[in-house]
Amino acid sequence: MQYGHFDDARREYVITTPRTPLPWINYLGSEAFFTLLSNTAGGYSFYKDARLRRITRYRYNASPLDGEGFRVYIRDGETVWNPGWQPVQTELDRYVCRHGLGYSVIEGAKNGVTATQEFLVSHGDDCLLMRLTLRNDSAEEKRLDVFPYIEFCLWDAMDDSSNFQRNFSTGEVEVCGAAIYHKTEYRERRDHYAVFWCDRAPDGFDTAREAFLGAYGSPARPAAVFGDGCTGSLAHGWQPVAAQQHTLTLAPGASVRLLFGLGYIENPRAEKWERPGVVNKTKAEAMMARYATHAAFDAAMEALRAHWDSLLSAYQVRSGAEKLDRMVNIWNQYQCMVTFNMSRSASYFESGMGRGMGFRDSCQDLLGFVHMIPERARERILDIAATQFPDGSAYHQYQPLTKKGNLAVGSGFNDDPLWLIAGTDAYLRETGDWSILDERVDFDNDPSLARPLLEHLRRSFDYTRTHLGPHGLPLIGRADWNDCLNLNCFSSEPGESFQTTGPSEGPVAESVFIGGMFVKYGRAWVDILRHLGQTGEAGAAETDIAAMEKAVLTAGWDGAWFRRAYDAEGRVVGGAECDEGQIFIEPQGMCVMAGIGAETGEAATALQSVEARLDTRYGIVLLQPAYTRYRLELGEISSYPPGYKENAGIFCHNNPWIVCAEAELGHGDRAFAVYRRTAPAYIEDISDVHRTEPYVYSQMIAGRDAPSFGEAKNSWLTGTAAWTFLSISQAILGVKPELDGLRIDPCIPADCKGFEITRRWRGATYHITVDNAAGVERGVAAITVDGAPVPGSLIPPAAPGKCVEVTAVMG
Ligand code: BGC
């Protein structure tokens, strides 16, 4: 069952009922000001950091769902309704929500009135713009009362939702004409305020929630809307809101447009006040003036479209397969940009208060967006590297606002260092910008410890090299990629952290997965060293990598698949001898991607085991059999009921590892079969089972051991976005940036006859035509560049600005 459909020409997902199984959201903004917006106009805004600079309030885990947002109430005689149905939930005569790239449009109609809400965050500016168009389609004159309503957050979202003894007394506002200023704590240490405005002078306003909703009222039945209108309240303490009342008369056929905005303003300390107690509004007034006309709104929308045109044009495929094209050309890349902006901080599942940016998460996210915004990838790499410790280990998380590592979680996740090599390597292959390696970057955010980035990569490699366990495999520390496999932490008390309680690190527990990473990204390190002419160091690194490969193929090999780990007592995790958790997906994907066992057959055997034991119709589960009881020696993984999350859920992030691994072995049919099983556009018709947005990936789909098999959770912010883009754009469609050229090496289903790709790379544009009339899964027989044959499959970089015609004939 579907709740909407794709509109590829407009690059929108069109939702045709407000009653989606869960709120289906969009992200507006891609720089500093962000808004999460659901299909019923629920959501919230923040500036840079969803925890520390929350602009509007949102209550997670509430019932009914999605209570707060950017709502407009329309009172038409006895009927009160919202264009997005929520929160009053008056049945609409017509409803549609279009989520586009960086904007959303919600349209509802009731009793002959059509109301359209257009939302966007203006590119290059710190405000949400909301245009409301009302049209009288009836034969009678309409007298309407229109009430926009938002609830402010008192900035620090955590404090706002917990420290009521203080914050019920701090709220302050100012009202000036059609603008409502939220200035809580501005009198003391804050230099920022928010402003809500309208281009029309309102006929009434409220800024105290109690006055607008009523003490026992609710957003579903505001006292002002259902009663006598706004009261002109000025919030002192309690809950500041921005509500207005606009009384409008519309002749039959007439329409009216109102422009609303919500902006964030910072003032220099010395210029905070216009006069004692009155905020300096100069910047706010300038912002309102910038968007005072409909032409300005339209121009902001146009600028946004141009921005996305340019971003997406870095990789476009024409395959003839509609679903594939829409994933590759639009939605997968869009999600990559959102994960770049948000990491794992703010979604409808991540509260924006829990974690900051993840070290490994951000490094992996890079793999999916580096081709669109290499300059911001550069900046991101340097920020991440600055949170590395001098010994090569790293803070597991850092706050985006301060860019400082989070002490509470600390370090000890032993896969983290190697992801820095992965991200930097992807950047070098994309850009050829070797100067990044010379950039001096702090260790532990301490400028006195700054060293060139190259040294950071060296210490990443060395950290793993020097932290090996009894089998010569890397020590796992608190956890590796799987945050929930906690082999050194023995937590028995509820509420303790599974990762950081007790010793959490030990000399015995080892990770086969990190062993695979060390081989894969160690080779990338070697390539970098060789490119720099550092052959001695490269040779030594190769010796270490060969030793690791050997360790993986002996202690890490179980007979038919790669083992997962050794626990703190030296017992096998992920082997046939285990009663549960016999086989895990991660080492199969990573070790085969690393090329381990490719020649000796273990790689192919491992992937056959994945197919035989882990495949389901909704994707590949993380492990089998699921753990049925809590195991002190394994930690969080066994805390989940069978089939959920890391305990045998379909963890979407590592499905594309299997895609890449299958492609590595030349299995085009199987690679694509795995790809499409979790690709949102391919499973749109089971939206009732899947439940999350059908245009983006979710972190997890319940596995076959779960009662809700097939149900997804945690949509949007997941490393799945980057890895699936990598798997389809590079492993399957086969356009792979390398340090010295662009390799064309598709691995596709045998019945795919060919496709075309436009790829922007290092300033030149490559128009690539792949011809598979031969019907093979892999293998390039001939390549021409601008009509001239080239040997092999590597195309040297063209001069920036050039357009290059490439044909590749498979066979
Ligand atoms: C985390 C990742 C981790 C994954 C698997 C996600 O929630 O953000 O860092 O690799 O879970 O545990």
Side-chain angles (χ1 to χ4, degrees):
M1 180 177 167
Q2 295 185 195
Y3 302 87
H5 54 88
F6 288 93
D7 180 340
D8 294 337
R10 299 167 65 117
R11 299 191 300 212
E12 292 172 340
Y13 193 81
V14 185
I15 302 167
T16 48
T17 169
R19 290 186 178 83
T20 44
L22 294 163
W24 283 1
I25 70 163
N26 195 10
Y27 283 83
L28 317 185
S30 53
E31 293 151 305
F33 190 106
F34 296 98
T35 297
L36 279 62
L37 188 80
S38 76
N39 57 311
T40 64
Y44 63 94
S45 296
F46 62 93
Y47 177 77
K48 285 191 179 170
D49 189 316
R51 171 168 175 186
L52 300 175
R53 289 278 197 286
R54 187 77 67 101
I55 297 172
T56 63
R57 191 172 275 160
Y58 192 80
R59 292 175 186 80
Y60 278 86
N61 198 7
S63 181
L65 285 172
D66 205 23
E68 293 75 32
F70 306 89
R71 262 65 186 253
V72 165
Y73 299 85
I74 297 170
R75 185 167 70 193
D76 176 8
E78 296 296 298
T79 310
V80 175
W81 57 285
N82 310 100
W85 180 64
Q86 282 252 68
V88 177
Q89 299 187 0
T90 299
E91 215 50 55
L92 298 175
D93 298 335
R94 213 173 58 242
Y95 162 91
V96 69
C97 165
R98 293 175 167 268
H99 281 321
L101 306 185
Y103 69 91
S104 291
V105 180
I106 297 172
E107 185 167 290
K110 184 74 187 171
N111 297 346
V113 175
T114 298
T116 311
Q117 283 181 285
E118 295 166 89
F119 298 89
L120 67 97
V121 168
S122 185
H123 195 62
D125 217 339
D126 296 328
C127 54
L128 170 69
L129 303 178
M130 300 166 276
R131 176 159 67 186
L132 174 70
T133 304
L134 293 163
R135 201 179 61 230
N136 181 2
D137 297 324
S138 78
E140 288 126 42
E141 184 179 271
K142 290 274 186 185
R143 193 189 140 88
L144 306 173
D145 279 303
V146 175
F147 303 82
Y149 172 66
I150 60 164
E151 184 174 350
F152 290 110
C153 180
L154 308 184
W155 303 113
D156 181 331
M158 187 70 115
D159 189 77
D160 181 74
S161 59
S162 53
N163 188 11
F164 307 113
Q165 62 78 25
R166 168 179 159 83
N167 64 38
F168 280 174
S169 295
T170 55
E172 288 190 292
V173 297
E174 262 178 59
V175 178
C176 185
I180 294 172
Y181 293 83
H182 175 229
K183 58 171 188 178
T184 300
E185 292 188 342
Y186 189 75
R187 63 167 60 243
E188 26 118 353
R189 291 155 299 172
R190 293 193 183 276
D191 307 326
H192 42 265
Y193 60 79
V195 56
F196 173 88
W197 77 86
C198 180
D199 68 340
R200 177 186 185 275
D203 300 289
F205 68 86
D206 268 310
T207 66
R209 192 182 73 192
E210 188 171 332
F212 186 70
L213 297 185
Y216 291 92
S218 81
R221 211 178 158 76
V225 179
F226 284 80
D228 297 334
C230 286
T231 66
S233 58
L234 286 174
H236 292 280
W238 298 111
Q239 299 88 4
V241 302
Q244 292 181 334
Q245 179 170 0
H246 295 269
T247 305
L248 307 163
T249 305
L250 279 180
S255 61
V256 62
R257 295 192 294 185
L258 300 181
L259 288 170
F260 298 100
L262 174 66
Y264 170 88
I265 302 290
E266 272 175 13
N267 276 333
R269 288 229 152 154
E271 296 163 27
K272 279 174 68 166
W273 305 101
E274 183 184 305
R275 53 179 197 276
V278 177
V279 297
N280 177 348
K281 304 183 178 68
T282 313
K283 285 187 182 177
E285 279 159 4
M287 178 182 275
M288 292 186 249
R290 282 198 289 285
Y291 303 105
T293 64
H294 293 282
F297 184 96
D298 294 335
M301 183 69 98
E302 266 321 299
L304 201 58
R305 281 191 209 285
H307 169 69
W308 279 103
D309 280 345
S310 149
L311 286 180
L312 297 180
S313 64
Y315 196 113
Q316 291 286 299
V317 65
R318 286 164 301 285
S319 70
E322 189 182 50
K323 293 177 183 173
L324 178 66
D325 289 6
R326 79 167 57 113
M327 283 319 305
V328 175
N329 297 342
I330 307 169
W331 294 99
N332 198 174
Q333 295 198 67
Y334 185 54
Q335 189 176 0
C336 285
M337 284 301 293
V338 171
T339 52
F340 159 68
N341 287 320
M342 298 288 125
S343 190
R344 306 294 172 271
S345 69
S347 73
Y348 264 33
F349 299 88
E350 302 278 5
S351 67
M353 300 188 273
R355 37 185 179 168
M357 316 275 284
F359 190 96
R360 84 157 77 86
D361 294 337
S362 296
C363 287
Q364 289 173 90
D365 292 346
L366 247 146
L367 309 176
F369 69 79
V370 63
H371 66 292
M372 288 186 270
I373 43 164
E375 42 324 311
R376 293 186 74 187
R378 188 181 208 276
E379 185 190 342
R380 179 63 59 85
I381 289 169
L382 301 177
D383 286 348
I384 298 169
T387 66
Q388 189 176 26
F389 289 103
D391 71 352
S393 63
Y395 275 110
H396 194 48
Q397 290 169 10
Y398 69 101
Q399 275 313 119
L401 199 65
T402 61
K403 297 187 175 178
K404 297 260 190 303
N406 285 346
L407 266 176
V409 190
S411 70
F413 295 76
N414 283 351
D415 62 320
D416 276 337
L418 291 170
W419 290 117
L420 183 63
I421 300 183
T424 309
D425 171 57
Y427 175 79
L428 290 173
R429 284 187 282 117
E430 182 65 32
T431 61
D433 167 23
W434 291 85
S435 73
I436 191 173
L437 298 178
D438 301 328
E439 287 285 346
R440 290 179 69 80
V441 187
D442 300 351
F443 278 104
D444 194 8
N445 298 113
D446 178 348
S448 73
L449 301 174
R451 302 295 300 275
L453 180 65
L454 183 72
E455 183 59 27
H456 283 255
L457 302 190
R458 176 175 291 122
R459 294 192 192 177
S460 287
F461 182 81
D462 281 351
Y463 184 84
T464 313
R465 187 176 64 81
T466 55
H467 287 74
L468 302 180
H471 299 92
L473 293 165
L475 292 172
I476 196 166
R478 299 183 194 282
D480 62 18
W481 172 87
N482 190 331
D483 272 336
C484 301
L485 190 61
N486 314 120
L487 304 180
N488 289 307
C489 177
F490 306 95
S491 170
S492 51
E493 291 304 316
E496 287 176 349
S497 157
F498 287 106
Q499 286 83 28
T500 59
T501 305
S504 300
E505 294 182 73
V508 174
E510 298 166 293
S511 162
V512 178
F513 173 80
I514 304 181
M517 276 188 84
F518 184 76
V519 173
K520 180 167 167 57
Y521 297 115
R523 292 211 170 109
W525 170 235
V526 167
D527 289 346
I528 292 169
L529 289 172
R530 287 208 186 284
H531 196 277
L532 296 173
Q534 306 196 8
T535 46
E537 191 177 353
E542 273 170 335
T543 308
D544 296 321
I545 292 166
M548 183 66 74
E549 202 168 355
K550 197 162 164 229
V552 170
L553 280 173
T554 48
W557 181 249
D558 200 63
W561 58 81
F562 294 100
R563 292 177 171 161
R564 180 63 179 85
Y566 284 88
D567 71 14
E569 308 258 317
R571 288 169 305 212
V572 171
V573 179
E577 70 201 72
C578 306
D579 59 336
E580 295 176 334
Q582 291 173 339
I583 172 171
F584 283 64
I585 191 173
E586 305 103 300
Q588 321 313 323
M590 187 53 75
C591 294
V592 179
M593 282 196 288
I596 301 175
E599 271 150 34
T600 40
E602 290 89 345
T605 305
L607 294 185
Q608 282 156 14
S609 297
V610 168
E611 190 166 353
R613 291 171 162 258
L614 300 180
D615 253 17
T616 79
R617 67 178 185 278
Y618 297 129
I620 302 173
V621 295
L622 193 143
L623 63 86
Q624 277 295 295
Y627 294 109
T628 52
R629 62 181 173 81
Y630 178 58
R631 298 180 186 242
L632 201 59
E633 72 284 10
L634 300 181
E636 185 170 359
I637 193 165
S638 59
S639 74
Y640 291 107
Y644 293 107
K645 297 274 288 179
E646 282 85 343
N647 187 12
I650 298 160
F651 220 84
C652 298
H653 186 136
N654 36 40
N655 275 241
W657 294 349
I658 300 299
V659 173
C660 295
E662 292 285 3
E664 195 66 32
L665 300 189
H667 303 155
D669 282 321
R670 168 79 179 149
F672 191 69
V674 175
Y675 167 80
R676 55 175 287 168
R677 208 161 304 159
T678 55
Y682 285 89
I683 53 175
E684 185 192 9
D685 57 345
I686 57 154
S687 288
D688 49 332
V689 178
H690 193 71
R691 289 170 45 91
T692 51
E693 295 91 332
Y695 37 93
V696 292
Y697 287 92
S698 294
Q699 181 209 52
M700 194 272 302
I701 299 170
R704 65 178 178 225
D705 300 288
S708 58
F709 183 32
E711 181 192 38
K713 288 194 184 115
N714 307 354
S715 56
W716 283 98
L717 303 185
T718 159
T720 314
W723 272 103
T724 46
F725 189 69
L726 206 72
S727 77
I728 189 68
S729 63
Q730 298 196 22
I732 294 181
L733 297 171
V735 180
K736 305 176 187 175
E738 294 192 358
L739 294 178
D740 301 316
L742 200 56
R743 188 164 308 277
I744 311 295
D745 181 21
C747 183
I748 54 178
D751 64 4
C752 167
K753 293 292 165 241
F755 52 88
E756 286 173 38
I757 285 176
T758 305
R759 176 69 158 96
R760 198 168 61 228
W761 184 62
R762 300 191 189 176
T765 304
Y766 296 78
H767 179 229
I768 304 157
T769 308
V770 174
D771 172 355
N772 189 29
V776 299
E777 291 179 71
R778 188 170 185 194
V780 171
I783 289 200
T784 64
V785 174
D786 288 333
V790 295
S793 54
L794 193 68
I795 305 170
K802 265 204 80 182
C803 278
V804 186
E805 284 296 324
V806 179
T807 63
V809 179
M810 295 180 69

